[in-house]
């Protein structure tokens, strides 16, 4: 019998679900044994259910082609087959909240890509390099749910990954005011140019709900556990505009920062390139060796050259320069469906395994 943990992908037929399946091919710790989606796909093999809508550039892994897709709503049946699940279903927020907790209550840990539980007080929202200690709030969540091993953990929104790690690396200089504009790829809406041709040569200055997430989620990540819940930080204040741009993958952010403490360019760059976290120390399978790279060239980071840095798990930063109104400005880039979605969730699951929260049933 395989020693690997058995994983189910809820919403495995969708864009993020497909990314999970691609990233988990040959994963050293996890094996996709179960895929669940809507009743529309249930009962068909994965290959049949996804026919004509496989959106990854790498081919569909052979090992999943003949898996018969299950119905996400048959919670007990799906949960009985796996040690834990990744969640990437697209339902209403209330439905997602309910179904993720239903899985947790079957003693099945849920690592979610969805936003539904990001503000549930005892659910950790984690970037493993930034706030791995937040996973401890799971102990309080389990008490609320009445579970021994079942819980929900989430990763934050894709938009913040191009600047929140950078601001974290600069923490000792005390950033207190941040203005960010994000230039977000169409895959963040689950789309390609084939299914969203209006985006070719176009820009849309609206992404529903995104600005609020981009402003508030970093504060929760920088928060701390008090009395069994995560209490968000209150500084730095962040204001953000989020713009959809004609790019397939990769969210770019143009950011201005004010600091309470003075820093030189050399010091700021050194803090970025030296920045390491628990995933690097533990050498987790999906951890980038170098989390943040700094590029000196004036025309970097560029989506076409840098989005796949560290297999899409790293952050690329460039154009750091003094500003006439703010103190410093820079441009950051990260891969929205790898670091910003499925890859970030896989790294969370690896951390949870290393911390002993995900085990064999
Ligand atoms: N795309 C991104 O980069 C990104 C980033 C962060 C977060 N997200 C979030 O991740 C989730 C998935 O996004 P996506 O882009 O992968 O969406 P998607 O391509 O539309 O896939 C949605 C998945 O959910 C399933 N589903 C839809 N309605 C359902 C229902 N009523 N009951 C059970 N399953 C249902 C679909 O199954 P069928 O195939 O059977 O319809 C499919 O597996 C969304 O909540 C989205 O907001 C996406």
């Amino acid at each position: 019998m395989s020693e690997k943990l058995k994983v189910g992908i809820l919403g495995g037929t969708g864009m993020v679900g497909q990314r999970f399946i691609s990233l988990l091919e040959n994963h050293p710790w996890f094996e996709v044994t179960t895929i669940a989606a809507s009743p529309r796909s249930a009962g068909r093999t994965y290959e049949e259910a996804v026919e004509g809508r496989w959106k990854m550039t790498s081919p569909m892994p052979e090992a999943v082609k003949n898996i018969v897709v299950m119905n996400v709503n048959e919670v007990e049946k799906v949960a009985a087959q796996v040690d834990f699940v990744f969640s990437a279903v697209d339902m209403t927020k209330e439905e997602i909240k309910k179904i993720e907790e239903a899985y947790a209550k079957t003693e099945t840990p849920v690592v979610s890509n969805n936003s539904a539980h990001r503000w549930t007080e005892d659910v950790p929202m984690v970037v493993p390099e930034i706030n791995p200690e937040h996973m401890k709030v799971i102990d309080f969540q389990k008490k609320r749910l009445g579970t021994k091993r079942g819980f929900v953990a989430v990763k934050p929104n894709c938009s913040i990954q191009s600047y929140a790690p950078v601001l974290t690396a600069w923490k000792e200089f005390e950033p207190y005011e941040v203005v960010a504009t994000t230039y977000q790829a169409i895959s963040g809406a689950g789309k390609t140019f084939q299914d969203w041709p209006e985006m070719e040569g176009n820009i849309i200055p609206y992404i529903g709900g995104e600005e609020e997430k981009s402003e508030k989620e970093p504060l929760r990540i920088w928060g701390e556990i008090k009395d069994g819940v995560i209490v968000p930080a209150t500084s730095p204040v962040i204001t953000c505009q989020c713009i959809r741009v004609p790019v397939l993958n990769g969210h770019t952010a143009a950011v201005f920062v004010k600091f309470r403490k003075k820093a030189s360019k050399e010091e700021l760059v050194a803090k970025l390139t030296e920045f390491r976290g628990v995933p690097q120390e533990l050498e987790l399978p999906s951890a980038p060796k170098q989390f943040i790279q700094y590029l000196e060239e004036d025309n970097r980071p560029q989506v076409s050259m840098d989005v796949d840095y560290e297999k899409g798990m790293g952050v690329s930063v460039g154009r750091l320069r003094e500003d006439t109104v703010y103190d410093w400005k820079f441009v950051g880039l990260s891969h929205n469906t790898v670091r910003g979605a499925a890859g970030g969730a896989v790294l969370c699951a690896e951390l949870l395994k290393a911390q002993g929260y995900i085990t064999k049933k």
Side-chain angles (χ1 to χ4, degrees), residues 15-16 21-22 93-94 127 145 159 183 226 228 232 234 247 259 328 338 348:
M15 181 140 186
V16 178
I21 283 166
S22 300
K93 224 173 222 186
E94 281 317 307
V127 176
L145 297 175
S159 60
Y183 302 87
K226 276 189 197 145
T234 51
V247 158
F259 292 102
W328 289 91
V338 183
C348 281

mmCIF file of all heavy atoms in Angstrom, residues 15-16 21-22 93-94 127 145 159 183 226 228 232 234 247 259 328 338 348:
data_model
loop_
_atom_site.group_PDB
_atom_site.id
_atom_site.type_symbol
_atom_site.label_atom_id
_atom_site.label_comp_id
_atom_site.label_asym_id
_atom_site.label_seq_id
_atom_site.Cartn_x
_atom_site.Cartn_y
_atom_site.Cartn_z
ATOM 1 N N MET A 15 -10.629 25.144 -13.173
ATOM 2 C CA MET A 15 -9.294 25.634 -13.513
ATOM 3 C C MET A 15 -8.307 25.440 -12.351
ATOM 4 O O MET A 15 -7.202 24.934 -12.543
ATOM 5 C CB MET A 15 -9.375 27.118 -13.867
ATOM 6 C CG MET A 15 -8.056 27.698 -14.252
ATOM 7 S SD MET A 15 -8.362 28.798 -15.618
ATOM 8 C CE MET A 15 -6.762 29.274 -16.100
ATOM 9 N N VAL A 16 -8.718 25.824 -11.153
ATOM 10 C CA VAL A 16 -7.808 25.663 -10.009
ATOM 11 C C VAL A 16 -7.645 24.180 -9.692
ATOM 12 O O VAL A 16 -6.547 23.711 -9.390
ATOM 13 C CB VAL A 16 -8.314 26.456 -8.774
ATOM 14 C CG1 VAL A 16 -7.392 26.239 -7.587
ATOM 15 C CG2 VAL A 16 -8.408 27.942 -9.101
ATOM 16 N N ILE A 21 -4.238 19.191 -9.717
ATOM 17 C CA ILE A 21 -3.945 17.863 -10.262
ATOM 18 C C ILE A 21 -2.584 17.860 -10.955
ATOM 19 O O ILE A 21 -1.789 16.935 -10.798
ATOM 20 C CB ILE A 21 -5.108 17.405 -11.166
ATOM 21 C CG1 ILE A 21 -6.235 16.942 -10.231
ATOM 22 C CG2 ILE A 21 -4.705 16.306 -12.144
ATOM 23 C CD1 ILE A 21 -7.571 16.753 -10.859
ATOM 24 N N SER A 22 -2.273 18.939 -11.683
ATOM 25 C CA SER A 22 -0.963 19.020 -12.354
ATOM 26 C C SER A 22 0.169 19.118 -11.333
ATOM 27 O O SER A 22 1.189 18.437 -11.453
ATOM 28 C CB SER A 22 -0.897 20.246 -13.262
ATOM 29 O OG SER A 22 -1.886 20.151 -14.233
ATOM 30 N N LYS A 93 -20.702 31.615 -1.407
ATOM 31 C CA LYS A 93 -19.869 31.660 -0.213
ATOM 32 C C LYS A 93 -20.487 30.835 0.918
ATOM 33 O O LYS A 93 -19.809 30.080 1.610
ATOM 34 C CB LYS A 93 -19.721 33.122 0.221
ATOM 35 C CG LYS A 93 -18.314 33.444 0.600
ATOM 36 C CD LYS A 93 -18.137 34.899 0.868
ATOM 37 C CE LYS A 93 -16.836 35.298 0.239
ATOM 38 N NZ LYS A 93 -16.419 36.627 0.500
ATOM 39 N N GLU A 94 -21.778 30.994 1.120
ATOM 40 C CA GLU A 94 -22.459 30.281 2.207
ATOM 41 C C GLU A 94 -22.395 28.776 1.986
ATOM 42 O O GLU A 94 -22.159 28.013 2.909
ATOM 43 C CB GLU A 94 -23.919 30.754 2.338
ATOM 44 C CG GLU A 94 -24.059 32.075 3.070
ATOM 45 C CD GLU A 94 -23.161 32.172 4.323
ATOM 46 O OE1 GLU A 94 -23.231 31.267 5.183
ATOM 47 O OE2 GLU A 94 -22.375 33.137 4.447
ATOM 48 N N VAL A 127 0.316 32.192 4.506
ATOM 49 C CA VAL A 127 1.403 32.110 3.528
ATOM 50 C C VAL A 127 2.539 31.457 4.324
ATOM 51 O O VAL A 127 3.048 32.069 5.278
ATOM 52 C CB VAL A 127 1.841 33.500 3.025
ATOM 53 C CG1 VAL A 127 3.042 33.372 2.088
ATOM 54 C CG2 VAL A 127 0.694 34.204 2.320
ATOM 55 N N LEU A 145 -15.590 22.815 16.414
ATOM 56 C CA LEU A 145 -16.234 21.853 15.510
ATOM 57 C C LEU A 145 -16.491 20.506 16.187
ATOM 58 O O LEU A 145 -17.239 19.698 15.665
ATOM 59 C CB LEU A 145 -15.356 21.627 14.263
ATOM 60 C CG LEU A 145 -15.107 22.832 13.350
ATOM 61 C CD1 LEU A 145 -14.124 22.469 12.246
ATOM 62 C CD2 LEU A 145 -16.422 23.318 12.730
ATOM 63 N N SER A 159 -4.038 38.160 -5.280
ATOM 64 C CA SER A 159 -3.553 39.522 -5.564
ATOM 65 C C SER A 159 -2.491 39.999 -4.590
ATOM 66 O O SER A 159 -1.636 40.806 -4.946
ATOM 67 C CB SER A 159 -4.735 40.496 -5.529
ATOM 68 O OG SER A 159 -5.335 40.453 -4.249
ATOM 69 N N TYR A 183 -2.164 44.533 -11.434
ATOM 70 C CA TYR A 183 -2.470 44.298 -12.854
ATOM 71 C C TYR A 183 -2.650 42.788 -12.990
ATOM 72 O O TYR A 183 -1.669 42.050 -13.015
ATOM 73 C CB TYR A 183 -1.317 44.818 -13.724
ATOM 74 C CG TYR A 183 -1.061 46.299 -13.487
ATOM 75 C CD1 TYR A 183 -0.203 46.726 -12.471
ATOM 76 C CD2 TYR A 183 -1.724 47.263 -14.245
ATOM 77 C CE1 TYR A 183 -0.003 48.082 -12.215
ATOM 78 C CE2 TYR A 183 -1.532 48.614 -14.002
ATOM 79 C CZ TYR A 183 -0.671 49.016 -12.990
ATOM 80 O OH TYR A 183 -0.485 50.352 -12.735
ATOM 81 N N LYS A 226 -5.032 35.498 19.618
ATOM 82 C CA LYS A 226 -5.377 35.948 20.982
ATOM 83 C C LYS A 226 -6.705 35.317 21.350
ATOM 84 O O LYS A 226 -7.671 35.432 20.588
ATOM 85 C CB LYS A 226 -5.530 37.474 21.018
ATOM 86 C CG LYS A 226 -4.214 38.201 21.181
ATOM 87 C CD LYS A 226 -4.453 39.690 21.431
ATOM 88 C CE LYS A 226 -3.168 40.452 21.181
ATOM 89 N NZ LYS A 226 -3.394 41.761 20.605
ATOM 90 N N GLY A 228 -7.819 32.373 21.220
ATOM 91 C CA GLY A 228 -8.337 31.359 20.309
ATOM 92 C C GLY A 228 -8.777 31.851 18.948
ATOM 93 O O GLY A 228 -9.373 31.094 18.179
ATOM 94 N N PRO A 232 -6.399 40.578 13.536
ATOM 95 C CA PRO A 232 -5.584 41.198 12.482
ATOM 96 C C PRO A 232 -4.714 42.333 13.012
ATOM 97 O O PRO A 232 -5.068 42.981 14.004
ATOM 98 C CB PRO A 232 -6.622 41.754 11.500
ATOM 99 C CG PRO A 232 -7.907 41.105 11.844
ATOM 100 C CD PRO A 232 -7.842 40.748 13.290
ATOM 101 N N THR A 234 -3.062 46.159 12.596
ATOM 102 C CA THR A 234 -3.737 47.397 12.182
ATOM 103 C C THR A 234 -2.839 48.255 11.290
ATOM 104 O O THR A 234 -3.271 49.272 10.763
ATOM 105 C CB THR A 234 -4.154 48.216 13.420
ATOM 106 O OG1 THR A 234 -3.002 48.344 14.251
ATOM 107 C CG2 THR A 234 -5.273 47.530 14.185
ATOM 108 N N VAL A 247 -3.312 39.469 -19.838
ATOM 109 C CA VAL A 247 -2.190 38.587 -19.536
ATOM 110 C C VAL A 247 -2.809 37.261 -19.122
ATOM 111 O O VAL A 247 -3.828 37.262 -18.423
ATOM 112 C CB VAL A 247 -1.373 39.197 -18.359
ATOM 113 C CG1 VAL A 247 -0.544 38.159 -17.647
ATOM 114 C CG2 VAL A 247 -0.511 40.355 -18.838
ATOM 115 N N PHE A 259 7.845 54.497 5.136
ATOM 116 C CA PHE A 259 8.430 53.777 6.282
ATOM 117 C C PHE A 259 8.650 54.732 7.452
ATOM 118 O O PHE A 259 9.002 55.903 7.246
ATOM 119 C CB PHE A 259 9.815 53.221 5.899
ATOM 120 C CG PHE A 259 9.784 52.124 4.880
ATOM 121 C CD1 PHE A 259 10.105 52.375 3.545
ATOM 122 C CD2 PHE A 259 9.474 50.818 5.244
ATOM 123 C CE1 PHE A 259 10.106 51.361 2.596
ATOM 124 C CE2 PHE A 259 9.481 49.800 4.299
ATOM 125 C CZ PHE A 259 9.782 50.065 2.974
ATOM 126 N N TRP A 328 9.543 54.882 -0.894
ATOM 127 C CA TRP A 328 10.077 53.988 -1.923
ATOM 128 C C TRP A 328 8.933 53.464 -2.778
ATOM 129 O O TRP A 328 7.789 53.411 -2.338
ATOM 130 C CB TRP A 328 10.801 52.787 -1.267
ATOM 131 C CG TRP A 328 12.086 53.195 -0.613
ATOM 132 C CD1 TRP A 328 12.250 53.584 0.691
ATOM 133 C CD2 TRP A 328 13.375 53.289 -1.228
ATOM 134 N NE1 TRP A 328 13.569 53.908 0.921
ATOM 135 C CE2 TRP A 328 14.278 53.738 -0.235
ATOM 136 C CE3 TRP A 328 13.860 53.045 -2.523
ATOM 137 C CZ2 TRP A 328 15.630 53.933 -0.501
ATOM 138 C CZ3 TRP A 328 15.205 53.244 -2.782
ATOM 139 C CH2 TRP A 328 16.073 53.688 -1.780
ATOM 140 N N VAL A 338 -0.393 29.542 -9.420
ATOM 141 C CA VAL A 338 0.525 28.639 -8.707
ATOM 142 C C VAL A 338 0.694 29.193 -7.287
ATOM 143 O O VAL A 338 -0.057 28.832 -6.389
ATOM 144 C CB VAL A 338 1.864 28.461 -9.456
ATOM 145 C CG1 VAL A 338 2.746 27.455 -8.712
ATOM 146 C CG2 VAL A 338 1.617 27.963 -10.868
ATOM 147 N N CYS A 348 0.821 24.990 1.898
ATOM 148 C CA CYS A 348 0.142 24.984 3.212
ATOM 149 C C CYS A 348 -0.055 23.549 3.706
ATOM 150 O O CYS A 348 0.165 23.254 4.881
ATOM 151 C CB CYS A 348 -1.223 25.666 3.131
ATOM 152 S SG CYS A 348 -1.144 27.453 3.141
#
